[in-house]
């Protein structure tokens, strides 16, 4: 007859042997599709190391060839004896380095033979002197460096577009070198302030 015994229904086990493989594939997928933030530095060429016994060569510059920029302890920018914003400084540097109207109070233009460009007038003897107070913030310093880099970038882009119809970054290395010869980046930096004895 009928049995009082109840039948227990068993739940089938889930096959988990491929779980590790799926987790590994998901990990690879997310690693390949995720972009990591990278720190960006300031591209600058450091001066060549010279032993103390070697005499460093100094370059005599006329006053018209030097643009002095000061970043004070309160993060204020000074150029030409007056306080300026980063945008104003960008325009001043662009005009100083390019001297498009060949003004007598800006760097003298010298006719120079540049490979790939022919004879071009270049403000070869210009120099930008940065004086940064030790108490100035890093944010203000980077904003200053960005303004300088942007001024050179605009000048180089303008020349490359007028000559070859391309942005500076899209040029071949030989053409980029020619543009750099027309607008050489000559920046000297010094710090001052109480900490570390000052300079």
């Amino acid at each position: 007859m009928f049995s009082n015994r109840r039948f227990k229904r068993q739940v089938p086990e889930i096959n988990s042997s491929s779980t590790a493989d799926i987790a590994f594939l998901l990990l690879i997928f997310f690693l390949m599709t995720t972009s990591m933030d990278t720190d960006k530095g300031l591209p600058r060429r450091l001066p060549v190391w010279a032993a103390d016994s070697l005499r460093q060569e100094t370059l005599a510059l006329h006053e018209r060839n030097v643009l002095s920029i000061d970043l004070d302890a309160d993060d204020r920018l000074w150029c030409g004896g007056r306080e300026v914003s980063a945008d104003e400084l960008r325009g001043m540097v662009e005009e100083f380095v390019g001297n498009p109207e060949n003004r007598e109070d800006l760097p003298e233009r010298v006719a120079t033979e540049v490979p790939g460009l022919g004879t071009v007038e270049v403000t070869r003897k210009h120099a930008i002197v940065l004086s940064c107070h030790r108490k100035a913030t890093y944010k203000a310093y980077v904003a200053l460096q960005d303004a300088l880099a942007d001024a050179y970038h605009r000048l180089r882009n303008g020349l490359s577009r007028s000559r070859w119809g391309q942005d500076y970054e899209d040029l071949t290395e030989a053409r980029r070198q020619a543009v750099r010869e027309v607008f050489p980046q000559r920046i000297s930096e010094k710090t001052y302030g109480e900490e570390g004895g000052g300079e």
Side-chain angles (χ1 to χ4, degrees):
M1 303 241 149
F2 294 110
S3 169
N4 285 342
R5 222 166 45 166
R6 291 180 132 179
F7 291 105
K8 289 188 175 179
R9 187 180 246 176
Q10 293 184 348
V11 179
E13 291 183 11
I14 298 174
N15 184 1
S16 61
S17 60
S18 63
T19 307
D21 295 334
I22 293 171
F24 184 68
L25 287 173
L26 284 172
L27 178 65
I28 290 175
F29 172 76
F30 285 117
L31 285 174
M32 297 297 288
T33 57
T34 304
S35 63
M36 303 290 179
D37 290 337
T38 55
D39 292 334
K40 293 186 179 178
L42 299 168
R44 289 288 176 266
R45 181 176 293 170
L46 296 175
V48 179
W49 178 84
D52 293 336
S53 60
L54 298 177
R55 204 181 100 234
Q56 289 189 344
E57 184 181 341
T58 55
L59 183 64
L61 294 172
H62 294 291
E63 188 178 333
R64 69 181 279 188
N65 292 334
V66 178
L67 180 67
S68 296
I69 301 169
D70 181 38
L71 177 63
D72 68 14
D74 299 320
D75 292 345
R76 293 179 301 181
L77 280 172
W78 297 86
C79 184
R82 65 183 181 93
E83 187 177 354
V84 295
S85 67
D87 287 334
E88 286 176 303
L89 180 65
R90 189 177 292 116
M92 292 170 80
V93 170
E94 219 175 318
E95 185 178 23
F96 174 79
V97 175
N99 192 7
E101 298 169 5
N102 203 13
R103 288 171 32 191
E104 295 202 7
D105 59 328
L106 295 178
E108 50 200 332
R109 295 167 65 112
V110 180
T112 308
E113 185 66 31
V114 179
L117 286 173
T119 304
V120 183
E121 286 194 344
V122 178
T123 58
R124 186 172 295 281
K125 296 180 181 178
H126 81 270
I128 296 173
V129 178
L130 299 183
S131 300
C132 299
H133 197 281
R134 293 181 193 277
K135 289 188 176 178
T137 63
Y138 187 69
K139 181 179 178 181
Y141 177 77
V142 169
L144 166 60
Q145 292 288 349
D146 283 345
L148 292 175
D150 193 40
Y152 276 100
H153 179 76
R154 285 184 186 181
L155 288 167
R156 291 173 176 175
N157 254 356
L159 177 61
S160 59
R161 284 179 188 147
S162 66
R163 289 296 178 119
W164 298 292
Q166 290 180 297
D167 285 340
Y168 173 73
E169 292 81 13
D170 299 331
L171 298 177
T172 62
E173 182 53 37
R175 287 182 173 178
R176 269 187 272 174
Q177 178 60 36
V179 172
R180 284 194 298 267
E181 282 191 43
V182 176
F183 297 117
Q185 193 167 354
R186 305 182 118 205
I187 300 174
S188 171
E189 295 187 43
K190 65 178 183 175
T191 56
Y192 67 95
E194 317 75 45
E195 294 176 26
E199 285 185 7

